[in-house]
Amino acid sequence: MNPARPMTLDHWIVNAAARTPEKPALISDSGALTYREFASRIDLRSRELAGAGTVAGDRVAWYGLNHPEVFVLLFACARLGAIFVPLNWRLADAEIAAVVADCGPRILVHDGHFRDEARALSDVAVISADDPMLATRPCPPHAAGEDAPILIVYTSGSTGSPKGTVLTQKALACNAAMSIEAHDLRAGSRVLNVLPTFHVGGLNILPVPAFRIGATVLLHERFDPTAACRALGNVTHAITVPTVLQGIINDDGWNHVDLSGLRTISIGSTDVPLPLVQTVQSRGVPVTQIYGATETGPFAIYQRVDEAVATTGCIGRAGSQCAVRLVRDGLDVPDGKPGEIWVRGDNVMTKYWRNPGLTADALRGGWFRTGDIARRDGRGLYWFVDRIKHVIISGGENIYPAEIERILRDIPGVSEVAVVGVPDPKWGESPVAVVAAECGMTADAVLAPLAGRIARYKHPKSVVFVDALPRNAMGKVIVDRVRERIADRP
């Protein structure tokens, strides 16, 4: 690479290939890829994309499961100044079509699982990950720099329609620096990712940071509890969400896999059940919590490995590469008081794609308003409270559903729980517990553990039993759909 060329993310792979060419960069279901091979595939793909007419600012979409091509395309786009768009393959065909129409990719690359679905899309050139493009062309010099957009990730859509979050190359580098610090990543680290790479968690919590320092990434095509459990015996780090970690713990191999080489399991995406953390830490493995959002890339607040056990239950400290505020009514709140988490830094998105109205609402003076509520203690540790949109205002009092859910989740026989507000003619809103539980569970059995633990006005007025709660691709409960289910009940 021309030494005068601006630093772009693909430089990480070029440098690692020069240092340790035969070291495994990526191990997947299709085999191992050394750093030399990785760099070679990125170089070829970038020249193929250029040959197909891709220029800086063009979008390149991926429609498939976790695959080495995800990272080949990401770093090829970085070199060209193009923008990588991983598509959420769990969406319905009409939803995928809407996202593709919104981002307008020049090229869409697919794997073997989504050949027919990809070719059914209109107004976009479609190729298979296994096929070469027809022409190559040298990449134009100085096509991109650190401020160039590199990634559009569509939010999981737990409320409303998905929005295209635009992150720059600098944002991914900033996130990588914080992940390396949080996890104490080293060149000798081996990291496991089973999360979908259409989400910032699957891309940026471990894989991209690992590539920055020349570590090795184990990539599973999709989550399988038995395969993931077995893989924990061969890695130093793994990233999970609560539903994934619960699946691993429930696997028959959990009590037999050797975890002596596992330095940490990190977890994020939602309010994390404390018993889940304690179960892992009883095996001698620290669990590090990561708080953030698609719009923060996702790092914003996180625990460091060396204090994870001593600070169990918190979401960590403010990231070293960003600033964090807790705000209520436009003012910063003192320690101990709840406030909305605001984040500012290079890790924060530049905008929502083609949506200036939502961008202006989310970003205030460079601060991203997360919509989440937390408290900070005197040690600088942050404790998650709830989503602003989830807060129930009953008789003028704020009720945080997550506080109630943490108690109800511990009841034997309860597998899932969500507390939502419903209209109440007297109080404005009242909380209702929506519970998936074993057969025979009664409402009284669900509500009894709340007595004496939280104020009476916070107690749910009723319990609705369901088979399962609706969740999105990252395992978050889709609260709007829970409310819809209650509203539809006679």
Side-chain angles (χ1 to χ4, degrees):
M1 181 178 291
N2 187 336
R5 183 183 180 87
M7 284 292 289
T8 49
L9 301 186
D10 60 292
H11 212 80
W12 299 347
I13 312 304
V14 173
N15 291 341
R19 293 192 308 267
T20 54
E22 301 309 315
K23 181 179 181 178
L26 186 58
I27 301 171
S28 68
D29 297 341
S30 56
L33 198 64
T34 67
Y35 268 100
R36 175 181 55 79
E37 293 167 333
F38 194 18
S40 177
R41 287 179 61 171
I42 292 167
D43 181 66
L44 175 60
R45 205 47 131 184
S46 62
R47 291 187 289 111
E48 288 178 328
L49 290 171
T54 307
V55 297
D58 281 348
R59 278 75 61 204
V60 176
W62 167 254
Y63 193 173
L65 303 179
N66 292 353
H67 190 288
E69 186 71 14
V70 170
F71 298 101
V72 171
L73 286 172
L74 174 67
F75 288 110
C77 285
R79 183 171 298 181
L80 286 170
I83 305 174
F84 180 56
V85 187
L87 301 176
N88 180 350
W89 51 266
R90 290 179 174 171
L91 296 178
D93 291 347
E95 293 173 306
I96 286 284
V99 168
V100 170
D102 186 61
C103 68
R106 175 174 288 276
I107 293 174
L108 185 148
V109 186
H110 65 83
D111 68 5
H113 296 282
F114 295 96
R115 174 182 178 275
D116 294 340
E117 292 87 344
R119 295 187 178 185
L121 295 166
S122 59
D123 301 323
V124 60
V126 175
I127 68 165
S128 168
D130 299 321
D131 296 334
M133 298 181 190
L134 297 179
T136 63
R137 182 183 301 170
C139 295
H142 309 298
E146 62 178 9
D147 292 319
I150 176 60
L151 187 63
I152 298 177
V153 177
Y154 281 81
T155 58
S156 55
S158 58
T159 57
S161 300
K163 306 178 292 291
T165 303
V166 180
L167 297 170
T168 64
Q169 300 209 32
K170 184 187 290 184
L172 267 63
C174 180
N175 265 271
M178 289 191 280
S179 177
I180 290 165
E181 176 195 45
H183 297 100
D184 190 22
L185 289 176
R186 307 167 189 176
S189 298
R190 291 168 60 89
V191 307
L192 172 67
N193 182 69
V194 300
L195 302 185
T197 49
F198 57 70
H199 190 275
V200 290
L203 283 172
N204 293 344
I205 290 182
L206 281 179
V208 168
F211 292 134
R212 181 174 185 174
I213 57 173
T216 299
V217 174
L218 277 70
L219 182 69
H220 286 195
E221 186 177 67
R222 62 198 308 175
F223 173 58
D224 174 80
T226 299
C229 186
R230 188 181 304 118
L232 291 180
N234 297 307
V235 297
T236 57
H237 300 75
I239 173 63
T240 66
V241 293
T243 51
V244 165
L245 187 53
Q246 188 66 64
I248 291 172
I249 290 172
N250 290 344
D251 187 79
D252 291 340
W254 169 251
N255 290 319
H256 307 289
V257 63
D258 180 5
L259 301 180
S260 59
L262 187 60
R263 298 187 58 220
T264 183
I265 290 179
S266 48
I267 191 165
S269 175
T270 189
D271 187 34
V272 180
L274 191 58
L276 197 59
V277 173
Q278 293 168 332
T279 296
V280 176
Q281 294 189 158
S282 71
R283 294 286 312 273
V285 179
V287 175
T288 50
Q289 286 195 229
I290 297 165
Y291 166 81
T294 303
E295 292 86 348
T296 64
F299 276 85
I301 301 170
Y302 47 89
Q303 290 178 302
R304 282 69 167 172
V305 173
D306 59 357
E307 61 178 5
V309 175
T311 61
T312 296
C314 77
I315 55 176
R317 302 181 185 276
S320 62
Q321 306 293 310
C322 63
V324 175
R325 298 170 62 191
L326 296 183
V327 179
R328 182 171 181 177
D329 299 327
L331 300 175
D332 291 78
V333 301
D335 287 351
K337 298 294 184 180
E340 182 185 11
I341 303 171
W342 288 20
V343 183
R344 185 173 67 183
D346 290 338
N347 57 313
V348 173
M349 71 168 186
T350 58
K351 62 182 179 180
Y352 290 120
W353 182 253
R354 293 176 174 168
N355 204 325
L358 283 177
T359 301
D361 186 57
L363 295 175
R364 300 288 176 88
W367 292 93
F368 171 65
R369 303 168 58 193
T370 67
D372 290 327
I373 302 170
R375 293 186 181 91
R376 182 183 54 245
D377 67 20
R379 298 170 293 171
L381 298 173
Y382 289 78
W383 301 80
F384 181 79
V385 176
D386 214 330
R387 292 280 296 163
I388 286 178
K389 292 181 179 180
H390 297 173
V391 174
I392 301 165
I393 303 177
S394 183
E397 297 283 356
N398 285 357
I399 299 173
Y400 299 106
E403 179 184 21
I404 306 167
E405 292 164 359
R406 290 178 193 126
I407 298 173
L408 300 185
R409 273 198 297 254
D410 287 343
I411 300 173
V414 170
S415 56
E416 296 182 291
V417 61
V419 175
V420 297
V422 298
D424 186 295
K426 181 178 181 181
W427 303 109
E429 283 186 298
S430 292
V432 171
V434 184
V435 176
E438 63 187 22
C439 184
M441 178 74 70
T442 65
D444 287 344
V446 170
L447 299 177
L450 299 174
R453 297 184 64 181
I454 58 174
R456 183 65 192 173
Y457 71 86
K458 299 179 183 179
H459 290 209
K461 301 302 183 286
S462 62
V463 177
V464 175
F465 290 98
V466 296
D467 293 332
L469 296 178
R471 295 180 180 271
N472 65 21
M474 291 300 291
K476 292 183 182 179
V477 173
I478 306 174
V479 176
D480 282 357
R481 293 188 187 174
V482 176
R483 292 193 184 101
E484 289 170 4
R485 287 188 182 183
I486 293 177
D488 291 341
R489 295 179 69 88

